[in-house]
Amino acid sequence: MLSVRFWGARGSIASPGKETVEFGGNTSCLELRADGKLVIVDFGTGIRLLGESLLANDLKNGPINADIFVTHTHWDHLIGFPMFAPLFIPTSELRIYGPVMPEGFKVRNALKLMTDYPFWPVRLCEFAAKLTFIDILETTIDLGAGLTVTSKLLNHPVITLGYRFEYEGKKIVVVTDNEPFWNMFDDKSHPMYSAEADYEGCEVAETENKKLSDFFKDVDILVYDSAYTEAEYRNSKRNWGHTSYESAIENAKISGAKNLVIYHHEPSRTDEALRDLSVKYSKADSGLKIITAKEGMVLTV
Ligand SMILES: [Zn+2]
Ligand SMILES: [Zn+2]
């Protein structure tokens, strides 16, 4: 049995308040369970409550032992790290996987920086837990007990990885944050326009988008960045590194995904707005189940 629980589904910045009670205001954090194994995706603000849950429910059965996959180093995916309670327990064993930048900057560097003296009272070296950092790019890792993870580079303003978790023939894929590749050389009115560059740009975008849809082919649960509507995206959000609802739905259909989870909600999106979008886009296709992520939601395959 493979499951995912949503501890934070918001993008960019935490957005608490009476307008976001239903879907939640915490940023990216997922808890996956493959029977006995614990996997976490991202250290968004949602990880604080996950940490408290682990202490209340798991610790009595043994030390906290987790594989944690960081998608990328933007604040909304890291900022909850120093408030993750298992860090303060010496028996905790946390293996932290994440992308390494071309210039050598790693997740460990980011976490050290954010917990250095001017920013936080407990430094990275002072946490009691045993921390192991594993720098990755595109790879497949056997996590033991039949659980594997495969990582895939995404299209975002910083090196970002999507993750595919597979267990007993079931698949959960997390793709956040990501923008579909598009041809940047198709503006025929541009003084530097070149038909050759236009053709090549189109080819590259198609090839990379195909690679991504292959990455989540026939997935059971696809957790997908859907920060904007297509109209918002086209109006002012192009090149911001995110996907529209329409594009996420289209990609999920192409790949044969069974369930698409709309994720990384835009911070100003109220519960009412998310409900309206949920109703509108759930009707868009009958074959694919479209679910809007909300805090506390658990999906099992
Ligand atoms: Zn984000
Ligand atoms: Zn980001």
Side-chain angles (χ1 to χ4, degrees):
M1 202 170 70
L2 186 61
S3 70
V4 56
R5 178 185 289 266
F6 294 79
W7 291 94
R10 199 59 67 163
S12 306
I13 192 165
S15 50
K18 61 182 182 349
E19 302 285 321
T20 56
V21 171
E22 183 181 342
F23 291 89
N26 281 305
T27 64
S28 181
C29 181
L30 305 172
E31 172 191 4
L32 281 84
R33 298 275 182 168
D35 288 325
K37 286 201 78 72
L38 168 62
V39 168
I40 297 167
V41 177
D42 277 345
F43 286 114
T45 63
I47 203 159
R48 185 183 68 82
L49 287 173
L50 168 56
E52 290 185 8
S53 166
L54 294 174
L55 263 55
N57 302 308
D58 288 57
L59 195 56
K60 56 179 178 273
N61 301 321
I64 308 298
N65 191 319
D67 292 289
I68 304 173
F69 291 85
V70 174
T71 57
H72 62 305
T73 51
H74 283 164
W75 288 122
D76 49 327
H77 301 257
L78 285 189
I79 199 77
F81 168 76
M83 291 295 287
F84 184 47
L87 286 169
F88 297 89
I89 298 175
T91 56
S92 300
E93 285 196 32
L94 309 174
R95 290 167 296 283
I96 301 171
Y97 305 75
V100 53
M101 309 293 141
E103 63 273 26
F105 189 81
K106 302 166 179 177
V107 170
R108 187 183 185 285
N109 299 123
L111 297 179
K112 183 179 180 306
L113 200 62
M114 69 187 280
T115 52
D116 266 355
Y117 157 68
F119 304 112
W120 197 254
V122 184
R123 291 179 298 166
L124 186 62
C125 63
E126 293 173 327
F127 288 109
K130 183 185 175 196
L131 302 180
T132 307
F133 290 90
I134 301 119
D135 306 314
I136 58 172
L137 286 170
E138 292 192 339
T139 187
T140 295
I141 301 166
D142 183 350
L143 298 173
L147 176 65
T148 64
V149 57
T150 301
S151 50
K152 164 90 181 71
L153 284 164
L154 302 179
N155 187 32
H156 199 55
V158 69
I159 298 288
T160 300
L161 292 173
Y163 293 109
R164 183 177 69 226
F165 300 94
E166 296 179 66
Y167 182 69
E168 294 183 339
K170 301 293 183 185
K171 289 184 247 180
I172 295 179
V173 171
V174 181
V175 173
T176 191
D177 305 4
N178 179 64
E179 179 168 356
F181 289 90
W182 57 282
N183 177 12
M184 289 183 281
F185 306 104
D186 64 349
D187 180 2
K188 292 187 171 57
S189 66
H190 195 283
M192 300 284 284
Y193 174 80
S194 142
E196 191 180 347
D198 184 359
Y199 178 79
E200 284 182 14
C202 187
E203 288 265 292
V204 168
E206 278 182 17
T207 302
E208 293 303 319
N209 288 330
K210 169 82 168 54
K211 277 191 213 168
L212 183 61
S213 57
D214 286 347
F215 177 65
F216 47 76
K217 190 166 173 43
D218 297 329
V219 65
D220 296 282
I221 297 173
L222 177 59
V223 180
Y224 210 109
D225 174 354
S226 317
Y228 309 122
T229 65
E230 186 67 15
E232 289 166 342
Y233 174 78
R234 290 195 177 274
N235 186 36
S236 61
K237 310 295 189 189
R238 202 172 231 204
N239 258 347
W240 285 34
H242 295 286
T243 301
S244 69
Y245 275 65
E246 286 85 343
S247 181
I249 292 166
E250 182 63 24
N251 288 342
K253 283 199 276 187
I254 289 169
S255 72
K258 296 179 182 69
N259 298 282
L260 169 67
V261 182
I262 300 291
Y263 190 65
H264 202 276
H265 307 314
E266 209 275 332
S268 64
R269 202 86 81 195
T270 62
D271 286 333
E272 187 182 2
L274 281 170
R275 269 197 306 273
D276 288 349
L277 289 172
S278 173
V279 169
K280 177 179 175 186
Y281 288 98
S282 295
K283 285 179 188 160
D285 187 83
S286 54
L288 173 71
K289 191 170 179 194
I290 301 169
I291 303 158
T292 304
K294 63 167 73 172
E295 282 177 33
M297 184 173 87
V298 182
L299 300 173
T300 302
V301 289

